[in-house]
Amino acid sequence: MTADRKRDAREKILLGAIVVRAGLSTADRAFLLGGLLELARVTPRSSEHRRLQAIGEEAFKALERETSGRVVGRVVEATG
């Protein structure tokens, strides 16, 4: 597997982990895509963007506190 393909696969895994962490692993795919398309319309650095980013940052911090894992690409990976 080339380095680009490995990087692409890792990115997809990390994004999937975010979906799971948000509690959306069983959500309808169309619902997820619709939500992401709406998020893509949020203007960067707008008050709504900052509000949502703060929620996400707090969720990552809580995850770090809850686990004895390590952060990999902003997603905590459990240590075994």
Side-chain angles (χ1 to χ4, degrees):
M1 189 181 289
T2 68
D4 288 340
R5 288 184 65 194
K6 284 182 181 181
R7 192 172 16 261
D8 185 56
R10 182 173 180 77
E11 181 178 1
K12 289 175 182 172
I13 291 167
L14 291 173
L15 292 171
I18 290 170
V19 170
V20 170
R21 179 62 183 167
L24 296 171
S25 61
T26 60
D28 177 74
R29 292 183 325 160
F31 169 77
L32 287 173
L33 182 56
L36 291 170
L37 290 170
E38 282 295 307
L39 285 172
R41 293 182 183 134
V42 174
T43 304
R45 294 175 297 284
S46 67
S47 61
E48 181 67 358
H49 184 272
R50 288 189 304 271
R51 183 184 76 81
L52 293 170
Q53 187 170 17
I55 291 169
E57 287 174 356
E58 182 53 40
F60 279 121
K61 289 176 186 174
L63 183 57
E64 289 178 55
R65 289 190 300 267
E66 292 170 8
T67 66
S68 60
R70 60 186 180 93
V71 177
V72 177
R74 301 282 311 205
V75 174
V76 172
E77 202 175 70
T79 56

